[in-house]
Every structure is written in C-alpha cells, then in structure tokens.
Amino acid sequence: MIEAPVRRILGVRVHDVTMGEALRIVEAFLAGGQSHQICTVNPEFVMRAQRDPAFFQTLENADLNVPDGVGLLWAGRVLGQPLRERVPGVELMEALAARAAERGWRIFLLGAAAGVADRAAAVLQARYPGLVVAGTFAGSPRPEDAPAILERLRRARPDLLFVAYGAPQQDLWIARYQPELGIPVAMGVGGAFDFIAGMVPRAPRWMREAGLEWLYRLIRQPWRWRRMLALPQFVLAVLAARYGGGGTGAGAG
Ligand code: UDP
C-alpha cells in the first residue's frame, strides 16, 4: 500500500500523488474490501471548505484527495506544500474505467442530467472493451431520493461508483451513504460525465497545459462566472497566507 504524503492547502488536506500512484492506491482500496472515498480537490473545493465545516470534514475523512487543477499546484509551491502532478478527476475516472475493463471491476455512474450517465457509459464501453457497467442513473442528491438510489446500488453491487452531482453535494452524498452502501470505492467526479459523453468539450491541450482550463470553461459556460469568483479569492487567500504575516502560511520562510 502506498502512503501518499499529505499536504495542506489553506488547511485543506490534499495528497501528493501522481496519476500512476493514484491508480495503484485505488487498486489497493479494491483489494482491501472496506469502502473508500475519493475527492478531486480544486481551488473551489478549498474555498468552499473554508466556510463549510461539513465539507471540510468530508475532505478530512476521505481516503484519497487528488490535486485537481493547476491552481492547487501553484498554491502548493507558494505555501511550501509541494504537489508533484495534477490529477484531473475526469482523467482519473477514465484511467479507472480502463483498469476496470482489465480487472473486471463493475462500475456504476450516478448523476448528471437524464441520459448523460448512460451516454458516458456507452462511450467508456466502446473505448474499453469488456468494461462491465453495473448501472447508470441520473438520480439526485436530494435526501428524499436517496432510498430509491441506495436500493438500485445494492442490487447493482458495483465495485466503483462515480457520482456526478457537482461539489460539494456529491462528496457529502458519498460520505453520508457510503457506510451503509459499503461500495469499495466511491468518487465524486463533477462534470466528468458531461465531458465523457461529449456534452461539454474539454479545453484544448495547449490551454490545459498553460493552466487556462478555467478561462475556457468561463468562455463556454459564462453562467459559471459567479462560482468562478472562487479562483481570484483563492489566489488572494494563498498570497495572504504566505505573505500576510498571519502565520498560517505553512512552510513560509
Ligand atoms: N448535477 C446533478 N444534479 C444536481 C446538480 C448537478 O446531476 O442536483 C450534475 C450536473 O448535471 C453536472 C454535474 O452534476 O453533470 C456537475 O457539473 P459541474 O460542471 O458543475 O461540476 P464541477 O466539475 O465544476 O464540479
């Protein structure tokens, strides 16, 4: 079992893992039997966790928090909390689907708009022959819908559950129901089903490499501007932690 180093970005727990290490860790989770939760931490998560104790606690308790987003790598450098590699949630999900096809792990896709999980599952099955899809369901994060969703999941008995309700709902949902579900690995994946199903294109590679994925998303989905205010707030908070003299800048000096 790989012990991934824990870093703190504005107090929020993030594991310093590469994609390869994340895959080996998930493999160990699946061999281990108990249930595990994976979160994909980006600057929006970190800002949300500052003012949402339940979400902060969910990130404290998760078994693996991958660094999703270049903003986190930048913050890690500024704060002396080095993170080696970006592990985007959608890419980890794809890599896990590929591994699932090889190993015979059963996957379940929960969330997104009606029909999207189904389309994403079909795309993955075409890409990774032999992939076993235990089920797909849009569902909703509303508590009144949980009993029916839990019943479906119990019947489907997946090894890997991907939940696309957006953060923090998806991660809170997993934390709340994972104990009774006992699914070996459950991961919140945000807009990943939309990307995989081709509903929303991902930014071109050069923009991703230049750290401009946020700009691409803002241009394509301008209604996101309000939540994207978390990005400049994140930058300011990181700089304040490092240079503000408040003593919270881990590794300062
Ligand atoms: N979503 C959902 N039910 C909800 C809220 C959101 O199924 O009540 C889905 C939405 O359709 C989308 C995903 O959750 O597929 C969240 O996508 P978004 O791009 O907001 O997530 P991010 O990647 O930014 O966390």
Side-chain angles (χ1 to χ4, degrees):
M1 178 76 200
I2 300 168
E3 280 297 323
V6 172
R7 308 292 186 216
R8 294 275 166 186
I9 304 295
L10 302 179
V12 173
R13 196 165 147 267
V14 187
H15 289 105
D16 176 27
V17 284
T18 63
M19 178 66 79
E21 288 166 359
L23 285 169
R24 286 200 290 282
I25 288 170
V26 176
E27 189 119 14
F29 287 166
L30 278 150
Q34 296 116 328
S35 55
H36 301 84
Q37 175 165 11
I38 305 174
C39 300
T40 61
V41 181
N42 64 25
E44 279 177 43
F45 279 55
V46 173
M47 295 318 287
R48 175 81 194 201
Q50 307 297 306
R51 59 191 154 81
D52 182 339
F55 188 45
F56 180 86
Q57 198 54 48
T58 296
L59 296 171
E60 283 296 298
N61 297 345
D63 300 280
L64 180 62
N65 290 339
V66 300
D68 184 342
V70 284
L72 241 63
L73 269 61
W74 167 79
R77 278 197 302 276
V78 172
L79 297 171
Q81 299 285 305
L83 296 162
R84 281 164 296 157
E85 186 174 300
R86 184 178 174 210
V87 182
V90 61
E91 286 171 29
L92 180 57
M93 178 179 167
E94 283 245 6
L96 287 172
R99 188 79 42 116
E102 291 167 16
R103 301 280 198 272
W105 301 332
R106 301 158 59 79
I107 71 165
F108 195 110
L109 276 63
L110 176 65
V116 175
D118 227 24
R119 276 179 71 165
V123 167
L124 291 174
Q125 279 185 311
R127 223 171 265 167
Y128 310 111
L131 177 66
V132 181
V133 176
T136 64
F137 189 49
S140 99
R142 286 194 300 267
E144 58 269 35
D145 292 333
I149 295 172
L150 297 182
E151 183 51 34
R152 268 176 197 263
L153 288 170
R154 272 191 213 104
R155 265 185 282 130
R157 294 189 309 106
D159 301 299
L160 263 170
L161 170 65
F162 299 107
V163 184
Y165 288 145
Q169 294 87 343
Q170 61 197 14
D171 308 284
L172 296 169
W173 194 95
I174 292 170
R176 169 149 186 211
Y177 298 110
Q178 179 68 307
E180 44 188 302
L181 282 171
I183 294 171
V185 173
M187 171 177 169
V189 294
F193 298 178
D194 298 316
F195 288 128
I196 292 170
M199 317 296 290
V200 179
R202 275 197 85 193
R205 179 188 285 272
W206 72 266
M207 283 189 96
R208 298 205 302 261
E209 284 173 358
L212 293 174
E213 189 153 22
W214 61 273
L215 178 62
Y216 183 83
R217 289 191 92 175
L218 184 60
I219 293 165
R220 297 292 304 221
Q221 303 172 296
W223 60 88
R224 301 172 72 95
W225 71 270
R226 190 182 285 279
R227 20 184 305 203
M228 289 183 66
L229 288 178
L231 290 172
Q233 286 165 0
F234 175 75
V235 170
L236 290 175
V238 168
L239 293 175
R242 174 66 179 83
Y243 301 108
T248 48

